[in-house]
Amino acid sequence: MTSALDQALLTRTAAQARENIPISAPPTTTVPVIEAIATGSPSLVLDQSVAAEWMAGQFTDQQQQDRIRRIFRKTMIDTRRFAVDPLDARIHAPRGAAATIQDRMRLFYRHAVPLAVDVARRALDRVDPADVGLLVFATSTGVIAPGVDVAVVEDLGLPRSVARLVVNFMGCAAAMNGIRAASDFVRANPHKKAMVLCIELNSVHAVPVEDVNDAVIGSLFGDGCGAVVIGANRGGERTEAGTIVIRDQFTHLFEATADGIAVAVNHDGITCELSENVPRYIYNGVAPVVGDVLRRNGLRQSDIDVWAIHPGGPKILLESARSLGLPPEASSTSWKVLGEYGNMSSVSLIFVLERIAAQTGADKPISAGIAFSFAPGVTIEGFVFDLVRR
């Protein structure tokens, strides 16, 4: 049975044929590809052991101090990078008064712009700025407009007609969210490029330590910036080694997990709260979602060579792997990024993808992979990809 839309199309096609009007060919299948990745971080490097001793010193009870030191050791983090020193009390009370959310946003903007412009410029090194049709800017640590996205457009000379999409408060999955939007854009506009730019400056929201939850947050998060440039491969085009071809994307909101990850704006800053239930939510939720996406792509889990899992902390990596029946070392690149940088929220997975893309020259010309991260909700978001190795 022909639908009204199908009938309308058939009628129009017949009319065009009678009047000798050229009928446009169906669009060529386009596949989004990550063509370039760039990352960067602030210059201040803080050793985790130093941070642990400082944090423990905020408590007077010896048992609490010992507990804090254990929490820091369990993070498997060696160093983190920061825009401002989170151990400096002056960040809590600029001008001698308690910091306000406005103080934090001004601090964010001042430090975010130069870092974001530098990373974006390097990502666009081989791209004509005029070809950029979409800029996705993602952060959960800065809410200001006109913001960093406008500064990037101005400083890099991007077209004033460039579409801008700002993604706030999608947490650690914001890069995946942005890549999904950018992929849809290049499918619809294959002659254009899209850039996803993420920056997180968690250090500008450091607060005086009042309880163990503050210590947990203070043990995990670091600062960083990452950008990916996405273009469209229209079939038959040569793909360079190091290119990540996005085969499929997925997102799934786990049921009854709203308490898991919460981001909020308070009078004195932006806060993130992590429930003790997050590891259980991840263990229960990851395997069913990944299994569904594999089946719809005609893949088995054994076909996946590369696992890019958000390095949000040891429990996130361990429970993700345990859910999938994988050994912890299956996501070895994620563990390395966690150790060197801590949890940079939305930025972390871009660091992981950059290192994976550099793994070229292997015997196998193409490796299949899956990347995913987690957002408030709790939501898993990611994509299936092919890594061109040679």
Side-chain angles (χ1 to χ4, degrees):
M1 185 175 183
T2 306
S3 69
L5 178 58
D6 291 335
Q7 187 60 53
L9 291 172
L10 289 170
T11 301
R12 186 180 69 175
T13 302
Q16 288 175 321
R18 286 195 300 272
E19 297 176 24
N20 296 318
I21 298 174
I23 301 173
S24 60
T28 304
T29 300
T30 57
V31 179
V33 297
I34 297 178
E35 299 178 348
I37 305 175
T39 60
S41 55
S43 59
L44 174 61
V45 181
L46 181 62
D47 188 274
Q48 189 75 332
S49 62
V50 173
E53 287 304 314
W54 180 88
M55 188 70 73
Q58 307 307 300
F59 296 82
T60 56
D61 181 77
Q62 184 63 49
Q63 288 186 328
Q64 286 286 61
Q65 291 181 347
D66 292 342
R67 184 182 179 189
I68 297 302
R69 293 186 180 99
R70 287 196 301 271
I71 288 172
F72 273 74
R73 283 196 299 270
K74 289 180 179 179
T75 62
M76 304 298 289
I77 296 169
D78 297 318
T79 54
R80 289 176 288 163
R81 274 70 171 172
F82 295 109
V84 296
D85 187 351
L87 311 187
D88 188 344
R90 288 175 296 181
I91 188 177
H92 308 315
R95 304 179 306 279
T100 65
I101 185 65
Q102 290 88 352
D103 293 324
R104 311 282 190 179
M105 292 302 95
R106 284 191 287 267
L107 194 59
F108 170 86
Y109 187 82
R110 186 165 77 244
H111 288 280
V113 168
L115 179 57
V117 167
D118 172 66
V119 171
R121 178 179 286 112
R122 288 188 281 111
L124 293 170
D125 182 52
R126 294 189 295 170
V127 176
D128 184 343
D131 291 338
V132 180
L134 173 67
L135 170 62
V136 182
F137 176 70
T139 185
S140 292
T141 52
V143 183
I144 186 169
V148 177
D149 56 314
V150 172
V152 169
V153 171
E154 297 281 5
D155 285 19
L156 299 188
L158 299 183
R160 306 199 78 79
S161 58
V162 66
R164 290 179 290 121
L165 173 63
V166 178
V167 178
N168 284 127
F169 292 162
M170 284 301 291
C172 300
M176 300 293 97
N177 189 271
I179 288 172
R180 174 157 52 87
S183 298
D184 290 343
F185 175 83
V186 299
R187 286 191 188 98
N189 304 274
H191 58 294
K192 290 289 187 179
K193 310 287 186 186
M195 181 168 67
V196 180
L197 176 63
C198 300
I199 187 166
E200 304 291 3
L201 301 183
N202 292 285
S203 64
V204 307
H205 298 286
V207 296
V209 180
E210 297 179 352
D211 54 38
V212 174
N213 185 64
D214 293 332
V216 171
I217 298 298
S219 72
L220 286 173
F221 290 97
D223 298 349
C225 181
V228 300
V229 176
I230 298 178
N233 186 304
R234 283 173 273 189
E237 299 177 2
R238 185 179 181 278
T239 306
E240 296 183 3
T243 300
I244 293 175
V245 180
I246 299 173
R247 293 177 55 162
D248 193 11
Q249 294 167 278
F250 59 92
T251 184
H252 187 88
L253 175 62
F254 297 151
E255 188 174 356
T257 60
D259 67 303
I261 305 170
V263 181
V265 179
N266 297 330
H267 69 282
D268 60 349
I270 294 174
T271 62
C272 177
E273 294 185 8
L274 304 174
S275 164
E276 62 182 9
N277 296 319
V278 170
R280 176 166 58 86
Y281 295 155
I282 289 174
Y283 173 72
N284 291 336
V286 167
V289 174
V290 171
D292 284 345
V293 77
L294 287 172
R295 281 189 290 273
R296 78 178 183 224
N297 283 276
L299 295 169
R300 297 164 299 179
Q301 188 167 303
S302 59
D303 295 323
I304 303 302
D305 306 300
V306 182
W307 294 93
I309 303 174
H310 169 60
K315 289 185 178 180
I316 288 177
L317 288 172
L318 289 171
E319 293 305 303
S320 294
R322 193 165 75 94
S323 179
L324 294 164
L326 297 171
E329 58 269 22
S331 55
S332 59
T333 305
S334 298
W335 282 102
K336 290 175 183 176
V337 169
L338 175 66
E340 294 176 30
Y341 296 94
N343 181 350
M344 297 174 286
S345 192
S346 67
V347 178
S348 291
L349 210 51
I350 298 179
F351 273 65
V352 175
L353 292 172
E354 181 183 43
R355 294 188 180 198
I356 287 172
Q359 297 169 4
T360 59
D363 293 337
K364 195 173 184 179
I366 297 176
S367 294
I370 289 184
F372 61 84
S373 191
F374 302 96
V378 174
T379 303
I380 182 174
E381 182 140 10
F383 59 86
V384 183
F385 63 90
D386 286 329
L387 170 62
V388 180
R389 292 189 183 272
R390 58 180 172 86

